[in-house]
Amino acid sequence: MIKLEKNGHIAVLTVSRPEALNALNSATLKELKEAAQTVRADEDIRVLIVTGEGKAFVAGADIAEMKDLDAEAGRAFGLVGQEAFRAIEELPIPVIAAVNGFALGGGCELALCADIRLASEKAKFGQPETGLGITPGFGGTQRLPRVIGLSKAMELILTARMIRADEALTLGLVDRVVPPEALMDEAMKLASAIAANAPVAVRGAKEAVRRFTAHSLGEDLMREAELFGACFVTEDQKKAMEAFVTKSEKPPFTGK
Ligand code: CO8
Protein backbone atom coordinates (compact mmCIF):
# COMPACT_ATOMS: atom_id res chain seq x y z
CA MET A 1 0.00 0.00 0.00
CA ILE A 2 3.08 2.20 0.13
CA LYS A 3 5.35 2.40 -2.91
CA LEU A 4 8.85 3.74 -2.57
CA GLU A 5 10.86 4.59 -5.68
CA LYS A 6 14.29 6.13 -6.00
CA ASN A 7 15.38 8.45 -8.77
CA GLY A 8 18.98 9.55 -8.18
CA HIS A 9 19.06 11.36 -4.83
CA ILE A 10 15.28 11.76 -4.74
CA ALA A 11 12.81 9.22 -3.35
CA VAL A 12 9.09 9.23 -4.11
CA LEU A 13 6.72 7.65 -1.59
CA THR A 14 3.23 6.97 -2.98
CA VAL A 15 0.29 5.98 -0.80
CA SER A 16 -1.40 3.43 -2.99
CA ARG A 17 -4.77 2.16 -1.85
CA PRO A 18 -6.86 3.87 -4.51
CA GLU A 19 -9.96 1.70 -3.99
CA ALA A 20 -10.37 3.40 -0.58
CA LEU A 21 -9.01 6.79 -1.73
CA ASN A 22 -5.74 5.91 0.03
CA ALA A 23 -7.43 5.91 3.46
CA LEU A 24 -4.94 4.99 6.15
CA ASN A 25 -5.69 1.74 7.97
CA SER A 26 -3.30 0.12 10.48
CA ALA A 27 -1.54 -1.93 7.80
CA THR A 28 -0.89 1.16 5.65
CA LEU A 29 0.34 3.12 8.66
CA LYS A 30 2.75 0.29 9.50
CA GLU A 31 4.08 0.31 5.94
CA LEU A 32 4.34 4.09 6.01
CA LYS A 33 6.50 3.96 9.13
CA GLU A 34 8.68 1.22 7.63
CA ALA A 35 9.11 3.23 4.43
CA ALA A 36 10.20 6.25 6.48
CA GLN A 37 12.77 4.03 8.24
CA THR A 38 14.05 2.77 4.87
CA VAL A 39 14.46 6.36 3.67
CA ARG A 40 16.23 7.34 6.89
CA ALA A 41 18.69 4.44 6.54
CA ASP A 42 19.62 5.32 2.93
CA GLU A 43 22.20 8.07 3.09
CA ASP A 44 22.06 8.52 -0.66
CA ILE A 45 18.52 9.95 -0.49
CA ARG A 46 18.56 13.74 -0.10
CA VAL A 47 14.88 14.65 -0.60
CA LEU A 48 11.61 12.73 -0.18
CA ILE A 49 8.43 13.47 -2.13
CA VAL A 50 5.16 12.14 -0.67
CA THR A 51 2.11 11.75 -2.91
CA GLY A 52 -1.00 9.61 -3.44
CA GLU A 53 -2.18 7.36 -6.24
CA GLY A 54 -5.35 8.16 -8.18
CA LYS A 55 -7.79 10.93 -7.30
CA ALA A 56 -6.82 11.24 -3.65
CA PHE A 57 -3.68 12.19 -1.77
CA VAL A 58 -5.11 10.52 1.35
CA ALA A 59 -8.84 10.71 2.24
CA GLY A 60 -8.11 10.32 5.95
CA ALA A 61 -7.76 7.57 8.48
CA ASP A 62 -9.84 4.50 7.62
CA ILE A 63 -13.33 5.16 8.95
CA ALA A 64 -14.45 1.53 8.53
CA GLU A 65 -11.58 0.42 10.78
CA MET A 66 -12.17 3.17 13.34
CA LYS A 67 -15.92 3.03 13.70
CA ASP A 68 -16.15 0.32 16.37
CA LEU A 69 -13.11 1.29 18.43
CA ASP A 70 -13.46 2.01 22.14
CA ALA A 71 -11.59 4.75 24.00
CA GLU A 72 -8.47 2.69 24.66
CA ALA A 73 -8.27 1.30 21.12
CA GLY A 74 -8.98 4.78 19.72
CA ARG A 75 -6.11 6.27 21.67
CA ALA A 76 -3.86 3.38 20.59
CA PHE A 77 -4.81 3.86 16.91
CA GLY A 78 -4.12 7.57 17.24
CA LEU A 79 -0.67 6.79 18.62
CA VAL A 80 0.11 4.36 15.75
CA GLY A 81 -0.74 7.12 13.28
CA GLN A 82 1.20 9.74 15.20
CA GLU A 83 4.28 7.49 15.25
CA ALA A 84 4.17 6.88 11.50
CA PHE A 85 3.71 10.60 10.86
CA ARG A 86 6.52 11.56 13.21
CA ALA A 87 8.79 9.12 11.38
CA ILE A 88 8.11 11.15 8.22
CA GLU A 89 8.30 14.55 9.90
CA GLU A 90 11.51 13.79 11.74
CA LEU A 91 13.43 12.57 8.71
CA PRO A 92 16.65 14.55 8.61
CA ILE A 93 16.15 15.28 4.89
CA PRO A 94 13.55 17.69 3.45
CA VAL A 95 10.11 16.24 2.67
CA ILE A 96 7.86 17.67 -0.05
CA ALA A 97 4.15 16.82 -0.16
CA ALA A 98 2.81 16.71 -3.72
CA VAL A 99 -0.90 16.86 -2.95
CA ASN A 100 -2.69 15.44 -5.98
CA GLY A 101 -6.28 15.21 -4.70
CA PHE A 102 -8.30 14.82 -1.48
CA ALA A 103 -6.18 15.55 1.59
CA LEU A 104 -8.75 15.15 4.35
CA GLY A 105 -8.36 14.40 8.04
CA GLY A 106 -5.29 12.18 8.32
CA GLY A 107 -4.45 13.18 4.73
CA CYS A 108 -4.26 16.86 5.53
CA GLU A 109 -2.30 15.89 8.65
CA LEU A 110 0.16 13.86 6.55
CA ALA A 111 0.71 16.84 4.25
CA LEU A 112 1.35 18.96 7.35
CA CYS A 113 4.28 16.66 8.25
CA ALA A 114 6.09 17.75 5.09
CA ASP A 115 8.44 20.72 5.01
CA ILE A 116 7.01 22.13 1.76
CA ARG A 117 3.57 21.54 0.21
CA LEU A 118 2.72 21.71 -3.51
CA ALA A 119 -0.86 21.13 -4.58
CA SER A 120 -2.63 20.27 -7.80
CA GLU A 121 -5.49 22.58 -8.75
CA LYS A 122 -7.71 19.56 -8.06
CA ALA A 123 -6.54 19.09 -4.47
CA LYS A 124 -9.03 19.53 -1.64
CA PHE A 125 -8.14 19.98 2.01
CA GLY A 126 -9.99 19.75 5.29
CA GLN A 127 -10.20 18.38 8.81
CA PRO A 128 -13.67 16.74 8.69
CA GLU A 129 -13.27 14.95 12.04
CA THR A 130 -15.70 16.94 14.19
CA GLY A 131 -18.41 16.04 11.67
CA LEU A 132 -17.59 12.38 12.32
CA GLY A 133 -17.80 12.69 16.09
CA ILE A 134 -14.05 12.77 16.74
CA THR A 135 -11.22 15.24 17.15
CA PRO A 136 -8.31 15.30 14.67
CA GLY A 137 -5.98 12.59 15.95
CA PHE A 138 -2.89 12.45 13.77
CA GLY A 139 -1.37 15.78 14.78
CA GLY A 140 -3.74 18.22 13.05
CA THR A 141 -4.61 20.11 16.22
CA GLN A 142 -0.92 20.86 16.70
CA ARG A 143 0.55 21.18 13.21
CA LEU A 144 -2.26 23.08 11.48
CA PRO A 145 -2.10 26.13 13.81
CA ARG A 146 1.69 26.02 13.63
CA VAL A 147 1.44 26.29 9.82
CA ILE A 148 -1.54 28.61 9.20
CA GLY A 149 -2.07 30.35 12.55
CA LEU A 150 -4.43 29.82 15.43
CA SER A 151 -7.74 31.28 14.33
CA LYS A 152 -7.62 30.00 10.76
CA ALA A 153 -6.84 26.52 12.11
CA MET A 154 -9.70 26.82 14.60
CA GLU A 155 -12.10 27.75 11.82
CA LEU A 156 -11.11 24.83 9.61
CA ILE A 157 -11.12 22.28 12.45
CA LEU A 158 -14.34 23.48 14.13
CA THR A 159 -16.38 23.83 10.93
CA ALA A 160 -14.96 20.63 9.38
CA ARG A 161 -15.36 22.30 5.97
CA MET A 162 -13.52 21.21 2.86
CA ILE A 163 -11.50 23.83 0.96
CA ARG A 164 -10.11 23.99 -2.55
CA ALA A 165 -6.44 24.38 -3.42
CA ASP A 166 -6.76 28.12 -4.14
CA GLU A 167 -8.11 28.79 -0.64
CA ALA A 168 -5.41 26.53 0.83
CA LEU A 169 -2.87 28.73 -0.94
CA THR A 170 -4.42 31.91 0.47
CA LEU A 171 -4.37 30.41 3.97
CA GLY A 172 -0.70 29.41 3.62
CA LEU A 173 -1.56 25.73 3.93
CA VAL A 174 0.18 25.08 0.61
CA ASP A 175 3.11 26.92 -0.91
CA ARG A 176 2.18 26.64 -4.57
CA VAL A 177 -0.72 25.41 -6.74
CA VAL A 178 0.00 23.93 -10.17
CA PRO A 179 -2.03 22.22 -12.93
CA PRO A 180 -2.59 18.51 -12.14
CA GLU A 181 -0.42 17.29 -15.01
CA ALA A 182 2.50 19.48 -13.87
CA LEU A 183 2.45 18.45 -10.19
CA MET A 184 5.05 15.70 -10.17
CA ASP A 185 7.36 17.60 -12.57
CA GLU A 186 7.24 20.64 -10.31
CA ALA A 187 7.83 18.51 -7.23
CA MET A 188 10.83 16.85 -8.93
CA LYS A 189 12.23 20.24 -9.99
CA LEU A 190 11.94 21.55 -6.45
CA ALA A 191 13.46 18.36 -5.03
CA SER A 192 16.32 18.53 -7.56
CA ALA A 193 17.08 22.15 -6.62
CA ILE A 194 17.30 21.13 -2.96
CA ALA A 195 19.25 17.94 -3.70
CA ALA A 196 21.85 20.01 -5.60
CA ASN A 197 22.74 21.89 -2.39
CA ALA A 198 25.20 20.68 0.22
CA PRO A 199 23.57 17.71 2.03
CA VAL A 200 25.04 18.46 5.47
CA ALA A 201 23.98 22.11 5.21
CA VAL A 202 20.49 21.20 3.96
CA ARG A 203 19.91 18.78 6.84
CA GLY A 204 21.31 21.28 9.34
CA ALA A 205 19.07 24.03 7.97
CA LYS A 206 16.01 21.77 8.19
CA GLU A 207 16.73 20.88 11.80
CA ALA A 208 17.35 24.50 12.75
CA VAL A 209 14.18 25.79 11.07
CA ARG A 210 12.04 23.01 12.57
CA ARG A 211 13.09 24.07 16.05
CA PHE A 212 11.02 27.20 15.40
CA THR A 213 7.81 25.17 15.77
CA ALA A 214 8.85 21.94 17.47
CA HIS A 215 8.65 23.36 20.99
CA SER A 216 6.42 21.11 23.19
CA LEU A 217 5.06 19.24 20.13
CA GLY A 218 5.64 15.81 21.76
CA GLU A 219 3.62 16.64 24.89
CA ASP A 220 0.89 18.34 22.87
CA LEU A 221 0.53 15.29 20.62
CA MET A 222 0.06 13.05 23.69
CA ARG A 223 -2.82 15.21 24.86
CA GLU A 224 -4.30 15.14 21.36
CA ALA A 225 -4.25 11.31 21.46
CA GLU A 226 -6.07 11.29 24.83
CA LEU A 227 -8.77 13.67 23.60
CA PHE A 228 -9.10 11.63 20.42
CA GLY A 229 -9.54 8.38 22.38
CA ALA A 230 -12.20 9.96 24.59
CA CYS A 231 -14.45 10.53 21.54
CA PHE A 232 -14.80 6.79 21.04
CA VAL A 233 -17.12 6.36 24.03
CA THR A 234 -19.73 8.66 22.46
CA GLU A 235 -22.87 7.64 20.58
CA ASP A 236 -22.25 10.55 18.20
CA GLN A 237 -18.98 9.00 16.96
CA LYS A 238 -20.56 5.55 16.48
CA LYS A 239 -23.59 6.90 14.61
CA ALA A 240 -21.63 9.31 12.40
CA MET A 241 -19.07 6.71 11.31
CA GLU A 242 -21.76 4.04 10.84
CA ALA A 243 -23.60 6.50 8.56
CA PHE A 244 -20.44 7.05 6.47
CA VAL A 245 -19.73 3.34 6.09
CA THR A 246 -23.35 2.39 5.26
CA LYS A 247 -23.79 5.50 3.05
CA SER A 248 -26.86 6.52 5.05
CA GLU A 249 -27.91 9.88 6.42
CA LYS A 250 -26.05 11.06 9.49
CA PRO A 251 -28.43 11.67 12.44
CA PRO A 252 -28.13 15.05 14.21
CA PHE A 253 -25.50 15.10 16.95
CA THR A 254 -26.86 14.94 20.51
CA GLY A 255 -23.71 15.46 22.58
CA LYS A 256 -23.93 11.93 23.99
N1 CO8 B 1 -12.00 5.71 5.28
C1 CO8 B 1 -12.44 4.56 4.70
N2 CO8 B 1 -12.89 4.50 3.44
C2 CO8 B 1 -12.91 5.63 2.72
C3 CO8 B 1 -12.47 6.86 3.26
C4 CO8 B 1 -11.98 6.87 4.61
N3 CO8 B 1 -11.51 7.97 5.18
N4 CO8 B 1 -12.61 7.83 2.31
C5 CO8 B 1 -13.12 7.20 1.22
N5 CO8 B 1 -13.29 5.89 1.46
C6 CO8 B 1 -13.81 4.87 0.55
C7 CO8 B 1 -15.33 4.97 0.40
O1 CO8 B 1 -15.99 4.33 1.47
C8 CO8 B 1 -15.54 4.30 -0.94
O2 CO8 B 1 -15.47 2.91 -0.77
P1 CO8 B 1 -16.52 1.94 -1.58
O3 CO8 B 1 -16.18 2.18 -3.04
O4 CO8 B 1 -16.14 0.58 -1.10
O5 CO8 B 1 -17.88 2.39 -1.23
C9 CO8 B 1 -14.29 4.71 -1.74
O6 CO8 B 1 -13.31 5.10 -0.78
C10 CO8 B 1 -14.53 5.87 -2.67
O7 CO8 B 1 -15.06 6.94 -1.91
P2 CO8 B 1 -16.40 7.72 -2.31
O8 CO8 B 1 -17.30 6.84 -3.10
O9 CO8 B 1 -16.97 8.34 -1.06
O10 CO8 B 1 -15.78 8.84 -3.28
P3 CO8 B 1 -16.39 10.27 -3.62
O11 CO8 B 1 -15.56 10.82 -4.73
O12 CO8 B 1 -17.87 10.22 -3.78
O13 CO8 B 1 -16.12 11.15 -2.29
C11 CO8 B 1 -14.78 11.99 -0.47
C12 CO8 B 1 -14.82 11.48 -1.94
C13 CO8 B 1 -15.49 13.33 -0.36
C14 CO8 B 1 -13.30 12.13 -0.12
C15 CO8 B 1 -15.46 10.94 0.46
O14 CO8 B 1 -14.91 9.65 0.19
C16 CO8 B 1 -15.28 11.22 1.92
O15 CO8 B 1 -15.94 12.08 2.48
N6 CO8 B 1 -14.36 10.46 2.59
C17 CO8 B 1 -14.12 10.59 3.99
C18 CO8 B 1 -13.27 11.78 4.27
C19 CO8 B 1 -13.10 11.95 5.74
O16 CO8 B 1 -14.01 12.21 6.49
N7 CO8 B 1 -11.83 11.80 6.18
C20 CO8 B 1 -11.47 11.96 7.55
C21 CO8 B 1 -11.48 10.64 8.24
S1 CO8 B 1 -11.20 10.81 9.97
C22 CO8 B 1 -9.56 11.02 10.11
O17 CO8 B 1 -8.82 11.07 9.17
C23 CO8 B 1 -9.08 11.12 11.50
C24 CO8 B 1 -7.58 11.24 11.55
C25 CO8 B 1 -7.13 10.97 12.90
C26 CO8 B 1 -7.19 9.54 13.15
C27 CO8 B 1 -6.46 9.26 14.38
C28 CO8 B 1 -6.26 7.78 14.56
C29 CO8 B 1 -7.47 7.02 14.92
Side-chain angles (χ1 to χ4, degrees), residues 19-21 23 55 59-64 66 74 77-78 102 104-106 109 128-129 132 134-138 162 228 232 244 247:
E19 68 284 2
L21 302 187
K55 72 173 182 177
D62 190 311
I63 298 170
M66 279 188 295
F77 185 49
F102 292 111
L104 301 173
E109 291 168 307
E129 288 90 341
L132 281 165
I134 56 173
T135 57
F138 286 172
M162 198 170 1
F228 180 82
F232 286 84
F244 177 82
K247 301 188 194 297

Side-chain angles (χ1 to χ4, degrees), residues 56-216:
F57 176 69
V58 165
D62 190 311
I63 298 170
E65 184 174 335
M66 279 188 295
K67 77 181 179 52
D68 297 322
L69 299 181
D70 61 16
E72 191 44 43
R75 183 173 173 277
F77 185 49
L79 288 174
V80 169
Q82 285 188 1
E83 257 184 48
F85 282 22
R86 284 211 101 181
I88 298 280
E89 181 180 51
E90 288 179 351
L91 282 170
I93 57 165
V95 179
I96 298 169
V99 183
N100 51 305
F102 292 111
L104 301 173
C108 189
E109 291 168 307
L110 178 59
L112 286 165
C113 291
D115 300 301
I116 303 171
R117 280 162 289 280
L118 301 186
S120 143
E121 287 161 353
K122 286 190 176 165
K124 295 219 168 76
F125 295 81
Q127 297 290 159
E129 288 90 341
T130 55
L132 281 165
I134 56 173
T135 57
F138 286 172
T141 65
Q142 298 311 306
R143 295 192 184 99
L144 189 60
R146 281 167 165 88
V147 171
I148 68 171
L150 195 61
S151 58
K152 289 179 201 155
M154 280 289 187
E155 199 227 296
L156 280 189
I157 290 172
L158 301 181
T159 61
R161 76 186 171 93
M162 198 170 1
I163 62 170
R164 294 192 330 206
D166 52 355
E167 188 176 353
L169 182 65
T170 310
L171 290 174
L173 177 51
V174 297
D175 304 295
R176 210 185 316 156
V177 177
V178 300
E181 61 282 4
L183 180 67
M184 284 317 284
D185 281 352
E186 288 298 319
M188 285 302 278
K189 266 192 229 160
L190 180 58
S192 302
I194 296 170
N197 290 330
V200 173
V202 166
R203 289 198 298 269
K206 168 168 171 167
E207 183 187 332
V209 175
R210 269 184 41 78
R211 283 177 178 269
F212 176 67
T213 60
H215 176 68
S216 83

Side-chain angles (χ1 to χ4, degrees), residues 5-45:
E5 286 154 320
K6 229 172 112 174
N7 183 346
H9 292 301
I10 299 165
V12 179
L13 183 160
T14 307
V15 184
S16 181
R17 203 189 158 213
E19 68 284 2
L21 302 187
N22 304 329
L24 300 171
N25 57 11
S26 308
T28 315
L29 287 167
K30 183 168 174 281
E31 283 187 35
L32 184 64
K33 187 176 163 192
E34 286 164 0
Q37 287 163 341
T38 304
V39 171
R40 178 180 273 271
D42 186 341
E43 290 187 0
D44 203 36
I45 299 175

